[in-house]
Amino acid sequence: MTRMAAYVISEVEILNQALADEYRRLAEASIHRYGGRYVVRGAQPDPVEGAWPPERRLVIVEFPDMDRAKTWYDSPEYAEALKMRQVALDRRLLFAEGLPE
C-alpha cells in the first residue's frame, strides 16, 4: 500500500488577534498530537500569477496521510479550537493529498 502525505492548507485573515493567538495555541497542540507538522505558518505569499489579498496569510500543515488529517479535524482536541476560530479568523480550508512516496 502506497502511503501519501496529506496537507491542510489554510488561507487566513485575523479578525481578533487575542482570540487568534488562543486558537493558534490550541490548534498547534492538537496538530502535534495527531502527527501533523507545520510546513508554512502565517506566511504572506509572493503572488507570481494572480492576486493575493495583503491581509491574508497562508498556513500549510502536513499529516502522514489523509485519514490522520481528517481524524485531527474531527477530534475533540481540535473542536475546542474550532469554536474559537469562528470569531478569531476568517479562512478558507483545503485538504489535499500529496504524491505517493
Side-chain angles (χ1 to χ4, degrees):
M1 182 171 183
T2 304
R3 185 172 159 164
M4 293 184 289
Y7 297 89
V8 178
I9 305 160
S10 298
E11 175 190 327
V12 178
E13 180 178 350
I14 295 174
L15 302 175
N16 178 310
Q17 187 64 57
L19 290 176
D21 290 344
E22 182 63 12
Y23 165 81
R24 190 178 301 123
R25 185 185 70 74
L26 293 169
E28 181 175 15
S30 67
I31 286 166
H32 291 303
R33 180 176 181 150
Y34 286 86
R37 71 179 186 93
Y38 286 94
V39 178
V40 175
R41 188 169 187 182
Q44 184 171 15
D46 181 11
V48 177
E49 293 185 19
W52 183 273
E55 67 279 0
R56 307 292 274 186
R57 297 294 180 262
L58 181 66
V59 178
I60 302 174
V61 177
E62 179 184 59
F63 284 91
D65 54 47
M66 188 61 77
D67 286 343
R68 199 71 166 161
K70 289 180 178 180
T71 299
W72 160 75
Y73 186 79
D74 294 333
S75 72
E77 295 86 359
Y78 186 61
E80 186 178 349
L82 209 53
K83 287 181 206 170
M84 199 166 296
R85 199 265 334 139
Q86 310 232 345
V87 291
L89 309 169
D90 178 45
R91 80 166 173 201
R92 184 180 331 206
L93 187 71
L94 308 166
F95 283 48
E97 281 188 324
L99 298 172
E101 292 181 8

